[in-house]
């Protein structure tokens, strides 16, 4: 009997870009290639995509793709993380009874509701429930970033009063209830997975049983057109200083592009201008007003300069298929995030092309990059620290080559799927 | 007629004395039940006859409002009144002169009207004969139904309980029906919703819900009460099974704040004195204050949560033998919106020979978060304190007053000190300190 696996994904990466859905879909694609596994994908969609909502439907197929389904979420309560419409829950129950999965693997609860975990347990009592965390949404109501809204500092634990300080309109009691509500449903999960080890500590400190939480790296197929980082090597062959930096990612506050721009200002003020930075990404509409204004003003001012004086080039958004081309234009990949980062897919993507990473010295970034060995770390949120590291990266002979040679291979999607299959089959021990 | 201070009049007259120029009245309440027909926009004339024989006619176009709007308007106004002197005492003195009773009668008629029109919706398959009926009144906030459902649905012996939510906010009923349907699907929980067409108050709502209960034991809970551990339902049943009936006829539980400190270990009464200085001399008036044992105490301070008789327990968690509840006449419906019904019921029980007991089940109580507090509720609270004080002061003083009241039924008898057959959790049953017993804390 094949193992029937249902993957539950926040959004479909074809429709809404994002790391969690990308990883879920990579896993879906990999599992479909495995013998003795039957894999199904239920990806949510919210009201931002009305053209795919069919009248009276709650779950539909997706674009003629076999075993891919859309969950048409609506009226989602983003505070309590629950659906208000019983019809959606009825439809989910019917879907479970039709698919009859042996494993239900949640990659998120957002847009579905945390209580759907308990629904799975009730409808399919012997089903194995797996949950992968892609940020700290259960612990932290502030978008799961664990960044304090009071001063932008990193938060290392939640409490009623600390959370109330981030949400002054919410009394401390609401956070006791929030945790009780989320924990009540998470208790139904058999196994949790985190892509980095430091995340496990956050969740265990929060209250999950250590023996239930496992480390499984996010894996991707390699986007390099030639395997084994051929593209990067090709660039290496072009001799010359390694002074081309790249930023890849969403232009949100937490991704820290503004920190990079401030570092560039500092270098320019020191009259260090023999480098340039390429920015790849979009969704600036989700940035805060202040950060958005800062980024837009910087890019506008840059446009005013003569081409020879420009240090920053904005390339706009990109699809993963464009990565080889975008990565070929840089030497270093900068990840200046001002939150913990759950994993940092962009680090894996840089590694695919042999690009050493310069990143903030916290969380997933600090876990994955060893300073001076396979990349460089700087003080999170500190433009002076980043400027100093960029100065060193441009100037130090042999540094790029040494780091490049030590860049590890990124975790593969096959390895990720192997890890999850062992989790599904209960072959992993804590 | 209640008098009050009018700063606007003082300013207009450049008056610098302490005279209360204002007054208010609530009249015609006995004629006010049932439909009344007034043409909107027509003038009405009010004739004021002063003691000195002067007569003044005031002609105004009155606002025509519903009974509930009138209730809210009067209570908002009452809450905002200013006085010369002690605010409570002046407000209470005004109520003494008939307006308090008139308003209570008016409010009772509203509550009666609402509670006589319940709409009952049942969700899920209910067991044939539950052992306990949990009754939760909902007012103003709908989120607590799904939160309690998730918290109460697990735990040993919860299947022996039924859940009755009585809804004082008709605008919430559709949301609550959806939530109850979801709770049925997610947890397999059976719930009964008793929807009222308006706010019948805490007493009225609980009383009507009790009529739909199918067990012999009522457990009245606030919507913001949650179990701290999932064995609470079994512990509650164990108490019913193992303790003498006199200790379980009416009892409350230890309740805790979200920060972990004690919120409630039983309630006791203190009497505040207020003074009024008038042309007829100085008068002293006692006003009852309800206090909680151990409020804010650390959770390890077990003396506050030991099983013992107490003057009263909070209605946030009140377990009552149904027959006893009915014999006592249920919760009083004299109180406006809600407050003091719990203490009132406990005092009725004490006078009838059974004191309320406290047992240590241990629940969270997110006090004050379970409903929405509006300005009219402040007026209701003031009026209720007046009514509670005048009703119970004679019974409370001197035997039931203070932290260690002298009433014979509130003394731990040797028999009562025997620990229960099954220990209630890990906490030891330590008696509260009696050191202060000798002091007479009455004034």
């Amino acid at each position: 009997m094949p193992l029937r696996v249902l993957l539950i994904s926040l959004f479909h990466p074809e429709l809404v870009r994002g790391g969690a859905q990308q990883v879920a879909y990579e896993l879906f694609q990999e599992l479909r290639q495995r013998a003795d596994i039957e894999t199904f994908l239920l990806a949510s969609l919210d009201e931002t995509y009305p053209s795919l909502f069919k009248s009276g439907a709650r779950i539909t197929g997706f674009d003629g793709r076999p075993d891919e389904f859309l969950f048409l979420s609506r009226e989602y309560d983003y505070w309590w993380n629950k659906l208000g419409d019983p019809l959606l829950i009825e439809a989910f129950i019917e879907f479970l009874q039709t698919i009859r999965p042996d494993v239900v693997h949640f990659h998120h609860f957002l847009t579905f509701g945390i209580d759907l975990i308990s629904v799975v347990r009730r409808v399919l009592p012997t089903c194995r429930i797996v949950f992968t965390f892609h940020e700290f949404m259960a612990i932290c109501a502030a978008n799961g970033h664990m960044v304090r809204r009071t001063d932008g500092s990193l938060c290392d634990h939640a409490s009623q009063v600390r959370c109330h300080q981030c949400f002054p309109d919410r009394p401390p009691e609401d956070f006791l209830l929030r945790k009780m509500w989320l924990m009540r449903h998470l208790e139904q999960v058999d196994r949790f997975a985190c892509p980095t080890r430091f995340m496990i500590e956050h969740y265990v400190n929060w209250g999950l049983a250590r023996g239930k939480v496992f480390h499984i790296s996010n894996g991707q197929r390699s986007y390099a057109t030639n395997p084994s980082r051929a593209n990067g090597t090709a660039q290496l062959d072009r001799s010359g200083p390694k002074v081309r930096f790249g930023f890849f990612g969403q232009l949100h506050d937490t991704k820290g592009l503004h920190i990079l721009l401030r570092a560039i200002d500092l270098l320019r003020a020191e009259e260090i201008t023999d480098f340039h930075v390429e920015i790849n990404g979009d969704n600036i509409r989700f940035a805060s007003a202040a950060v958005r204004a800062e980024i837009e003003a910087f890019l506008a001012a840059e446009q005013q300069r003569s081409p020879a004086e420009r240090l920053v080039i904005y390339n706009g958004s990109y699809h993963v298929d464009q990565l080889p081309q975008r990565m070929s234009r840089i030497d270093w990949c900068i990840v200046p995030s001002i939150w913990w980062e759950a994993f940092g897919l962009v680090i894996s993507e840089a590694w695919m092309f042999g690009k050493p990473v310069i990143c903030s010295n916290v969380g997933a970034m600090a876990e994955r990059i060893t300073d001076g060995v396979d990349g460089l770390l700087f003080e999170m949120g500190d433009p002076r620290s980043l400027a100093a590291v960029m100065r060193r990266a441009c100037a130090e002979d042999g540094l790029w080559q040494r780091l490049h040679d030590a860049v590890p291979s990124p975790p593969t999607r096959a390895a990720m799927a192997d890890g999850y299959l062992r989790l599904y089959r209960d072959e992993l021990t804590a | 007629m209640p008098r009050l201070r009018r700063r606007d009049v003082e300013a207009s007259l450049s008056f610098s004395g302490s005279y209360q120029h204002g007054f208010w009245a609530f009249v015609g309440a006995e004629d006010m039940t049932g439909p009344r027909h007034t043409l909107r926009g027509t003038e009405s004339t009010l004739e004021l006859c002063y003691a000195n024989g002067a007569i003044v006619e005031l002609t105004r176009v009155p606002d025509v409002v519903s009974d509930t709007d009138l209730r809210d308007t009067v209570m908002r106004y009452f809450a905002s009144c200013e006085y010369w002197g002690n605010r409570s005492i002046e407000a209470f003195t005004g109520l003494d002169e008939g307006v308090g009773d008139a308003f209570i009668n008016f409010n009772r008629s509203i509550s009666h009207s609402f509670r006589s029109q319940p709409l009952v919706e049942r969700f899920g398959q209910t067991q044939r004969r539950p052992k306990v009926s949990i009754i939760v009144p909902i007012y103003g906030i709908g989120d607590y139904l799904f939160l309690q459902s998730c918290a109460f649905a697990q735990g040993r012996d919860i299947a022996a309980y039924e859940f009755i939510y009585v809804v004082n906010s008709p605008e919430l009923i559709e949301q609550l029906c959806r939530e109850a349907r979801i709770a049925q699907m997610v947890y397999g929980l059976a719930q009964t919703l008793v929807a009222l067409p308006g706010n019948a108050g805490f007493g009225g709502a609980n009383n009507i819900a009790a009529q739909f209960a199918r067990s012999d034991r009522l457990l009245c809970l606030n919507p913001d009460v949650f179990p701290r551990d999932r064995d609470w339902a079994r512990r509650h049943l164990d108490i019913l099974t193992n303790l003498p009936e006199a200790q379980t006829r009416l009892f409350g539980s230890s309740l805790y704040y979200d920060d972990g400190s004690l919120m409630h270990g039983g309630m006791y009464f203190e009497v505040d004195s207020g003074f009024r200085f008038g042309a007829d001399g100085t008068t002293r008036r006692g006003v009852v204050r309800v206090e909680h044992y151990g409020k804010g105490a650390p959770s390890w301070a077990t003396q506050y949560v030991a099983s013992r008789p107490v003057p009263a327990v909070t209605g946030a968690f009140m377990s009552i033998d149904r027959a006893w509840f009915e014999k006592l006449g249920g919760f009083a419906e004299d109180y406006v919106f809600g407050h003091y019904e719990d203490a009132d019921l406990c005092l009725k029980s004490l006078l009838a020979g059974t004191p309320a007991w406290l047992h240590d089940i241990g629940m969270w109580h997110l006090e004050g978060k379970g409903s929405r507090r509006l300005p009219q509720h402040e007026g209701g609270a003031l009026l209720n304190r007046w009514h509670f004080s005048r009703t119970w002061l004679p019974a409370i003083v001197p035997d039931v007053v203070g932290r260690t009241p002298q009433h014979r039924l509130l003394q731990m008898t040797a028999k009562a000190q025997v620990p229960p057959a099954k220990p209630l959790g890990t906490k030891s049953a330590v008696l509260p300190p009696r050191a202060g017993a000798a002091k007479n804390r009455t004034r």
Side-chain angles (χ1 to χ4, degrees), chain A residues 264-285:
Chain A
I264 294 166
D265 273 339
L266 290 170
L267 291 170
R268 188 178 256 141
E270 292 175 36
E271 298 184 345
I272 297 173
T273 55
D274 52 346
F275 70 95
H276 73 263
V277 177
E278 300 210 4
I279 297 169
N280 306 278
D282 64 354
N283 282 336
I284 198 167
R285 65 184 185 280

PDB file of all heavy atoms in Angstrom, chain A residues 264-285:
ATOM      1  N   ILE A 264      25.966  51.595   2.097  1.00  0.00           N
ATOM      2  CA  ILE A 264      26.482  52.154   0.842  1.00  0.00           C
ATOM      3  C   ILE A 264      26.718  53.651   0.991  1.00  0.00           C
ATOM      4  O   ILE A 264      27.748  54.185   0.536  1.00  0.00           O
ATOM      5  CB  ILE A 264      25.485  51.853  -0.307  1.00  0.00           C
ATOM      6  CG1 ILE A 264      25.421  50.346  -0.561  1.00  0.00           C
ATOM      7  CG2 ILE A 264      25.881  52.606  -1.580  1.00  0.00           C
ATOM      8  CD1 ILE A 264      24.253  49.907  -1.431  1.00  0.00           C
ATOM      9  N   ASP A 265      25.798  54.341   1.649  1.00  0.00           N
ATOM     10  CA  ASP A 265      25.978  55.782   1.901  1.00  0.00           C
ATOM     11  C   ASP A 265      27.262  56.041   2.676  1.00  0.00           C
ATOM     12  O   ASP A 265      28.002  56.988   2.386  1.00  0.00           O
ATOM     13  CB  ASP A 265      24.783  56.337   2.687  1.00  0.00           C
ATOM     14  CG  ASP A 265      23.652  56.768   1.763  1.00  0.00           C
ATOM     15  OD1 ASP A 265      23.918  57.019   0.564  1.00  0.00           O
ATOM     16  OD2 ASP A 265      22.495  56.848   2.242  1.00  0.00           O
ATOM     17  N   LEU A 266      27.495  55.192   3.689  1.00  0.00           N
ATOM     18  CA  LEU A 266      28.705  55.375   4.511  1.00  0.00           C
ATOM     19  C   LEU A 266      29.960  55.178   3.672  1.00  0.00           C
ATOM     20  O   LEU A 266      30.920  55.957   3.772  1.00  0.00           O
ATOM     21  CB  LEU A 266      28.698  54.379   5.684  1.00  0.00           C
ATOM     22  CG  LEU A 266      27.660  54.643   6.786  1.00  0.00           C
ATOM     23  CD1 LEU A 266      27.596  53.450   7.738  1.00  0.00           C
ATOM     24  CD2 LEU A 266      28.030  55.911   7.558  1.00  0.00           C
ATOM     25  N   LEU A 267      29.961  54.149   2.828  1.00  0.00           N
ATOM     26  CA  LEU A 267      31.141  53.890   1.986  1.00  0.00           C
ATOM     27  C   LEU A 267      31.360  55.040   1.003  1.00  0.00           C
ATOM     28  O   LEU A 267      32.484  55.479   0.773  1.00  0.00           O
ATOM     29  CB  LEU A 267      30.973  52.561   1.246  1.00  0.00           C
ATOM     30  CG  LEU A 267      31.013  51.315   2.132  1.00  0.00           C
ATOM     31  CD1 LEU A 267      30.590  50.077   1.356  1.00  0.00           C
ATOM     32  CD2 LEU A 267      32.416  51.119   2.722  1.00  0.00           C
ATOM     33  N   ARG A 268      30.250  55.526   0.475  1.00  0.00           N
ATOM     34  CA  ARG A 268      30.359  56.632  -0.480  1.00  0.00           C
ATOM     35  C   ARG A 268      30.927  57.872   0.222  1.00  0.00           C
ATOM     36  O   ARG A 268      31.749  58.594  -0.338  1.00  0.00           O
ATOM     37  CB  ARG A 268      28.984  56.932  -1.070  1.00  0.00           C
ATOM     38  CG  ARG A 268      29.008  57.927  -2.202  1.00  0.00           C
ATOM     39  CD  ARG A 268      27.603  58.112  -2.755  1.00  0.00           C
ATOM     40  NE  ARG A 268      27.409  57.434  -4.019  1.00  0.00           N
ATOM     41  CZ  ARG A 268      26.299  56.790  -4.363  1.00  0.00           C
ATOM     42  NH1 ARG A 268      25.295  56.696  -3.525  1.00  0.00           N
ATOM     43  NH2 ARG A 268      26.184  56.237  -5.545  1.00  0.00           N
ATOM     44  N   ALA A 269      30.490  58.079   1.465  1.00  0.00           N
ATOM     45  CA  ALA A 269      31.003  59.230   2.225  1.00  0.00           C
ATOM     46  C   ALA A 269      32.502  59.096   2.480  1.00  0.00           C
ATOM     47  O   ALA A 269      33.208  60.102   2.612  1.00  0.00           O
ATOM     48  CB  ALA A 269      30.257  59.348   3.552  1.00  0.00           C
ATOM     49  N   GLU A 270      32.966  57.850   2.545  1.00  0.00           N
ATOM     50  CA  GLU A 270      34.416  57.622   2.714  1.00  0.00           C
ATOM     51  C   GLU A 270      35.131  57.624   1.371  1.00  0.00           C
ATOM     52  O   GLU A 270      36.308  57.265   1.289  1.00  0.00           O
ATOM     53  CB  GLU A 270      34.660  56.260   3.388  1.00  0.00           C
ATOM     54  CG  GLU A 270      34.206  56.181   4.821  1.00  0.00           C
ATOM     55  CD  GLU A 270      34.371  54.754   5.375  1.00  0.00           C
ATOM     56  OE1 GLU A 270      35.349  54.062   5.021  1.00  0.00           O
ATOM     57  OE2 GLU A 270      33.490  54.333   6.141  1.00  0.00           O
ATOM     58  N   GLU A 271      34.350  57.917   0.330  1.00  0.00           N
ATOM     59  CA  GLU A 271      34.867  57.947  -1.045  1.00  0.00           C
ATOM     60  C   GLU A 271      35.358  56.581  -1.492  1.00  0.00           C
ATOM     61  O   GLU A 271      36.280  56.452  -2.287  1.00  0.00           O
ATOM     62  CB  GLU A 271      35.961  59.021  -1.199  1.00  0.00           C
ATOM     63  CG  GLU A 271      35.389  60.399  -0.919  1.00  0.00           C
ATOM     64  CD  GLU A 271      36.387  61.525  -1.141  1.00  0.00           C
ATOM     65  OE1 GLU A 271      37.589  61.212  -1.232  1.00  0.00           O
ATOM     66  OE2 GLU A 271      35.944  62.670  -1.224  1.00  0.00           O
ATOM     67  N   ILE A 272      34.718  55.565  -0.937  1.00  0.00           N
ATOM     68  CA  ILE A 272      34.959  54.206  -1.445  1.00  0.00           C
ATOM     69  C   ILE A 272      33.842  53.919  -2.437  1.00  0.00           C
ATOM     70  O   ILE A 272      32.684  53.778  -2.052  1.00  0.00           O
ATOM     71  CB  ILE A 272      34.958  53.179  -0.295  1.00  0.00           C
ATOM     72  CG1 ILE A 272      36.094  53.487   0.656  1.00  0.00           C
ATOM     73  CG2 ILE A 272      35.053  51.751  -0.847  1.00  0.00           C
ATOM     74  CD1 ILE A 272      36.092  52.646   1.912  1.00  0.00           C
ATOM     75  N   THR A 273      34.161  53.917  -3.697  1.00  0.00           N
ATOM     76  CA  THR A 273      33.120  53.792  -4.724  1.00  0.00           C
ATOM     77  C   THR A 273      33.476  52.760  -5.790  1.00  0.00           C
ATOM     78  O   THR A 273      32.784  52.659  -6.799  1.00  0.00           O
ATOM     79  CB  THR A 273      32.889  55.154  -5.416  1.00  0.00           C
ATOM     80  OG1 THR A 273      34.143  55.613  -5.929  1.00  0.00           O
ATOM     81  CG2 THR A 273      32.317  56.172  -4.449  1.00  0.00           C
ATOM     82  N   ASP A 274      34.536  52.009  -5.542  1.00  0.00           N
ATOM     83  CA  ASP A 274      34.904  51.025  -6.571  1.00  0.00           C
ATOM     84  C   ASP A 274      34.204  49.684  -6.298  1.00  0.00           C
ATOM     85  O   ASP A 274      34.829  48.644  -6.120  1.00  0.00           O
ATOM     86  CB  ASP A 274      36.426  50.845  -6.629  1.00  0.00           C
ATOM     87  CG  ASP A 274      37.007  50.549  -5.260  1.00  0.00           C
ATOM     88  OD1 ASP A 274      36.295  50.753  -4.252  1.00  0.00           O
ATOM     89  OD2 ASP A 274      38.176  50.114  -5.191  1.00  0.00           O
ATOM     90  N   PHE A 275      32.874  49.733  -6.209  1.00  0.00           N
ATOM     91  CA  PHE A 275      32.065  48.519  -6.037  1.00  0.00           C
ATOM     92  C   PHE A 275      30.676  48.850  -6.569  1.00  0.00           C
ATOM     93  O   PHE A 275      30.355  50.029  -6.830  1.00  0.00           O
ATOM     94  CB  PHE A 275      31.984  48.124  -4.556  1.00  0.00           C
ATOM     95  CG  PHE A 275      31.158  49.047  -3.718  1.00  0.00           C
ATOM     96  CD1 PHE A 275      29.816  48.779  -3.451  1.00  0.00           C
ATOM     97  CD2 PHE A 275      31.718  50.233  -3.200  1.00  0.00           C
ATOM     98  CE1 PHE A 275      29.062  49.648  -2.691  1.00  0.00           C
ATOM     99  CE2 PHE A 275      30.950  51.098  -2.434  1.00  0.00           C
ATOM    100  CZ  PHE A 275      29.632  50.806  -2.170  1.00  0.00           C
ATOM    101  N   HIS A 276      29.859  47.853  -6.744  1.00  0.00           N
ATOM    102  CA  HIS A 276      28.452  48.148  -6.985  1.00  0.00           C
ATOM    103  C   HIS A 276      27.561  47.043  -6.420  1.00  0.00           C
ATOM    104  O   HIS A 276      28.026  45.943  -6.100  1.00  0.00           O
ATOM    105  CB  HIS A 276      28.157  48.451  -8.458  1.00  0.00           C
ATOM    106  CG  HIS A 276      28.202  47.253  -9.341  1.00  0.00           C
ATOM    107  ND1 HIS A 276      29.323  46.917 -10.078  1.00  0.00           N
ATOM    108  CD2 HIS A 276      27.265  46.311  -9.620  1.00  0.00           C
ATOM    109  CE1 HIS A 276      29.054  45.816 -10.766  1.00  0.00           C
ATOM    110  NE2 HIS A 276      27.828  45.431 -10.507  1.00  0.00           N
ATOM    111  N   VAL A 277      26.286  47.387  -6.275  1.00  0.00           N
ATOM    112  CA  VAL A 277      25.320  46.510  -5.625  1.00  0.00           C
ATOM    113  C   VAL A 277      24.112  46.345  -6.548  1.00  0.00           C
ATOM    114  O   VAL A 277      23.591  47.336  -7.061  1.00  0.00           O
ATOM    115  CB  VAL A 277      24.853  47.119  -4.281  1.00  0.00           C
ATOM    116  CG1 VAL A 277      23.783  46.235  -3.642  1.00  0.00           C
ATOM    117  CG2 VAL A 277      26.032  47.299  -3.341  1.00  0.00           C
ATOM    118  N   GLU A 278      23.706  45.117  -6.763  1.00  0.00           N
ATOM    119  CA  GLU A 278      22.509  44.866  -7.564  1.00  0.00           C
ATOM    120  C   GLU A 278      21.387  44.401  -6.639  1.00  0.00           C
ATOM    121  O   GLU A 278      21.584  43.500  -5.813  1.00  0.00           O
ATOM    122  CB  GLU A 278      22.790  43.801  -8.630  1.00  0.00           C
ATOM    123  CG  GLU A 278      23.902  44.223  -9.566  1.00  0.00           C
ATOM    124  CD  GLU A 278      23.755  43.657 -10.970  1.00  0.00           C
ATOM    125  OE1 GLU A 278      22.733  42.982 -11.240  1.00  0.00           O
ATOM    126  OE2 GLU A 278      24.665  43.896 -11.775  1.00  0.00           O
ATOM    127  N   ILE A 279      20.233  45.008  -6.808  1.00  0.00           N
ATOM    128  CA  ILE A 279      19.089  44.673  -5.953  1.00  0.00           C
ATOM    129  C   ILE A 279      18.071  43.898  -6.786  1.00  0.00           C
ATOM    130  O   ILE A 279      17.670  44.348  -7.855  1.00  0.00           O
ATOM    131  CB  ILE A 279      18.457  45.949  -5.370  1.00  0.00           C
ATOM    132  CG1 ILE A 279      19.488  46.638  -4.468  1.00  0.00           C
ATOM    133  CG2 ILE A 279      17.182  45.624  -4.596  1.00  0.00           C
ATOM    134  CD1 ILE A 279      19.072  48.025  -4.066  1.00  0.00           C
ATOM    135  N   ASN A 280      17.695  42.738  -6.276  1.00  0.00           N
ATOM    136  CA  ASN A 280      16.727  41.872  -6.972  1.00  0.00           C
ATOM    137  C   ASN A 280      15.581  41.553  -6.019  1.00  0.00           C
ATOM    138  O   ASN A 280      15.809  40.991  -4.942  1.00  0.00           O
ATOM    139  CB  ASN A 280      17.392  40.567  -7.403  1.00  0.00           C
ATOM    140  CG  ASN A 280      18.634  40.812  -8.234  1.00  0.00           C
ATOM    141  OD1 ASN A 280      18.543  41.054  -9.431  1.00  0.00           O
ATOM    142  ND2 ASN A 280      19.805  40.792  -7.589  1.00  0.00           N
ATOM    143  N   GLY A 281      14.368  41.911  -6.412  1.00  0.00           N
ATOM    144  CA  GLY A 281      13.222  41.627  -5.544  1.00  0.00           C
ATOM    145  C   GLY A 281      12.169  42.714  -5.678  1.00  0.00           C
ATOM    146  O   GLY A 281      12.396  43.726  -6.335  1.00  0.00           O
ATOM    147  N   ASP A 282      11.026  42.466  -5.065  1.00  0.00           N
ATOM    148  CA  ASP A 282       9.976  43.496  -5.119  1.00  0.00           C
ATOM    149  C   ASP A 282       9.092  43.404  -3.883  1.00  0.00           C
ATOM    150  O   ASP A 282       9.572  43.029  -2.816  1.00  0.00           O
ATOM    151  CB  ASP A 282       9.171  43.409  -6.423  1.00  0.00           C
ATOM    152  CG  ASP A 282       8.395  42.106  -6.550  1.00  0.00           C
ATOM    153  OD1 ASP A 282       8.573  41.218  -5.680  1.00  0.00           O
ATOM    154  OD2 ASP A 282       7.622  41.978  -7.515  1.00  0.00           O
ATOM    155  N   ASN A 283       7.830  43.723  -4.044  1.00  0.00           N
ATOM    156  CA  ASN A 283       6.864  43.770  -2.935  1.00  0.00           C
ATOM    157  C   ASN A 283       7.196  44.856  -1.921  1.00  0.00           C
ATOM    158  O   ASN A 283       7.010  44.670  -0.713  1.00  0.00           O
ATOM    159  CB  ASN A 283       6.750  42.407  -2.242  1.00  0.00           C
ATOM    160  CG  ASN A 283       5.889  41.454  -3.058  1.00  0.00           C
ATOM    161  OD1 ASN A 283       5.052  41.889  -3.848  1.00  0.00           O
ATOM    162  ND2 ASN A 283       6.111  40.166  -2.889  1.00  0.00           N
ATOM    163  N   ILE A 284       7.683  45.989  -2.428  1.00  0.00           N
ATOM    164  CA  ILE A 284       7.975  47.101  -1.518  1.00  0.00           C
ATOM    165  C   ILE A 284       6.684  47.619  -0.878  1.00  0.00           C
ATOM    166  O   ILE A 284       6.713  48.277   0.152  1.00  0.00           O
ATOM    167  CB  ILE A 284       8.726  48.236  -2.247  1.00  0.00           C
ATOM    168  CG1 ILE A 284       9.401  49.171  -1.231  1.00  0.00           C
ATOM    169  CG2 ILE A 284       7.805  48.998  -3.197  1.00  0.00           C
ATOM    170  CD1 ILE A 284      10.396  50.126  -1.811  1.00  0.00           C
ATOM    171  N   ARG A 285       5.533  47.264  -1.471  1.00  0.00           N
ATOM    172  CA  ARG A 285       4.263  47.736  -0.905  1.00  0.00           C
ATOM    173  C   ARG A 285       4.009  47.166   0.490  1.00  0.00           C
ATOM    174  O   ARG A 285       3.193  47.698   1.243  1.00  0.00           O
ATOM    175  CB  ARG A 285       3.096  47.391  -1.840  1.00  0.00           C
ATOM    176  CG  ARG A 285       2.828  45.913  -2.027  1.00  0.00           C
ATOM    177  CD  ARG A 285       1.717  45.679  -3.057  1.00  0.00           C
ATOM    178  NE  ARG A 285       1.342  44.280  -3.183  1.00  0.00           N
ATOM    179  CZ  ARG A 285       2.019  43.374  -3.882  1.00  0.00           C
ATOM    180  NH1 ARG A 285       3.133  43.722  -4.525  1.00  0.00           N
ATOM    181  NH2 ARG A 285       1.607  42.122  -3.957  1.00  0.00           N
TER     182      ARG A 285
END
